[in-house]
Amino acid sequence: MTTIAATQFQVDDLTVQIHPTVEDLASTAAQAAADILQSAIDENGKASVIFATANSQVAFLDALISGQGTRWNIDWSKVTMFHMDEYLGLPHTHPASFRHYMMKNVEPRLKPRAFHYLEGDALEPLDAMQTYAELLAEHAPDLCCLGIGENGHLAFNDPPVADFNDPHPIKIVKLDEPCRMQQVGEGHFPHLDAVPPYALTLTIPALCAAKHMLAIVPEKRKAQAVLDTLTGPISTACPGSYLRTQPHCILFLDEESASLLPTAM
């Protein structure tokens, strides 16, 4: 896996890279993702990846897509894609739906073998979740690309519902207010009451079961969560802290998201 970083260090089992800009972060993380997927295709004839959907992931996803044909030539028809969360009850046509973003901006541009979506508006959500869990088991992920929320969440595993030993691959969760306010702040909903109170999410063990993990966490608004992730206790109070137990994970920061870290790091 090829990565170039301005600064790189370890925190427990986690590799951390700090890049000068969001663009540098996105470019390096996209190269790492492409290398992992190409290696899986070379070894097994196929690959599987889980993507996150959030404002913080846009530059990375754009870099991964725009690099096709110039920096790498992945046969996307051999890649199966998943995403990690979706609002319960929200139709995929809603602009804030994570499926909506992936259906519009990722799937048609890369044309993967398949893109399996969490159906938040399914008539029978529990059945849809079971089907999704079976697909994940069938296509064991080679790569999980995720972020860390402003409240430290991984996917929609907010502090009140995060479980590092969760027995389920997918669950329905109630979103805490800081998480819902993040969605308002990112411009996806006009006010707090418009944000769905519940969501479907892959659990933390399911995310960490991927062979490789890339945590893409730029922007100043993530600085406190990054500080808590890397310097606080490993605790569900900051679910992102669990990444420090994952030697197969690289955390990509820019100077803004790393701005609160001690200079000794």
Side-chain angles (χ1 to χ4, degrees):
M1 180 168 56
T2 303
T3 56
I4 301 173
T7 304
Q8 179 166 307
F9 54 93
Q10 292 288 129
V11 179
D12 297 321
D13 291 332
L14 176 66
T15 299
V16 182
Q17 296 185 0
I18 302 176
H19 296 268
T21 67
V22 173
E23 292 75 20
D24 292 328
L25 179 162
S27 177
T28 307
Q31 181 68 67
D35 288 348
I36 291 167
L37 294 174
Q38 187 60 61
S39 178
I41 292 171
D42 291 344
E43 292 178 13
N44 304 309
K46 61 182 180 178
S48 176
V49 57
I50 305 170
F51 285 125
T53 316
N55 288 17
S56 63
Q57 305 299 301
V58 170
F60 160 70
L61 289 170
D62 283 347
L64 182 62
I65 292 166
S66 63
Q68 178 69 11
T70 56
R71 297 172 62 191
W72 45 78
N73 286 287
I74 296 171
D75 184 351
W76 293 101
S77 69
K78 297 179 179 179
V79 180
T80 300
M81 297 182 180
F82 296 86
H83 69 132
M84 58 186 59
D85 46 19
E86 180 59 288
Y87 300 102
L88 183 64
L90 197 70
H92 75 269
T93 53
H94 191 288
S97 163
F98 298 143
R99 287 173 295 166
H100 177 84
Y101 181 87
M102 291 297 189
M103 288 175 174
K104 180 180 178 181
N105 298 291
V106 177
E107 184 177 10
R109 296 168 70 185
L110 292 179
K111 298 180 175 61
R113 176 183 181 182
F115 202 134
H116 298 297
Y117 293 101
L118 273 169
E119 298 180 10
D121 56 350
L123 293 177
E124 298 186 61
L126 297 180
D127 287 347
M129 291 162 57
Q130 178 62 35
T131 298
Y132 204 74
E134 291 169 359
L135 287 166
L136 270 175
E138 181 182 351
H139 304 281
D142 298 287
L143 173 62
C144 176
C145 302
L146 74 168
I148 298 174
E150 293 176 25
N151 65 351
H153 71 207
L154 300 177
F156 271 143
N157 296 280
D158 291 332
V161 298
D163 183 349
F164 298 156
N165 297 298
D166 206 306
H168 306 292
I170 305 170
K171 63 184 179 181
I172 296 175
V173 296
K174 186 174 184 179
L175 303 177
D176 72 0
E177 186 168 315
C179 173
R180 294 171 68 209
M181 283 304 302
Q182 177 179 329
Q183 312 311 314
V184 175
E186 291 183 351
H188 301 299
F189 297 94
H191 50 77
L192 181 64
D193 289 343
V195 183
Y198 290 90
L200 311 179
T201 184
L202 295 187
T203 61
I204 291 173
L207 298 170
C208 293
K211 295 177 184 176
H212 301 273
M213 300 178 73
L214 305 179
I216 293 105
V217 189
E219 304 177 26
K220 182 72 173 180
R221 63 193 175 90
K222 300 295 183 73
Q224 184 62 51
V226 168
L227 178 67
D228 294 341
T229 290
L230 296 182
T231 66
I234 297 175
S235 163
T236 56
C238 177
S241 64
Y242 191 66
L243 296 179
R244 285 161 43 198
T245 69
Q246 305 300 305
H248 61 304
C249 184
I250 302 175
L251 173 60
F252 293 86
L253 308 175
D254 65 356
E255 290 188 355
E256 290 192 350
S257 61
S259 61
L260 296 182
L261 293 178
T263 54
M265 294 187 116

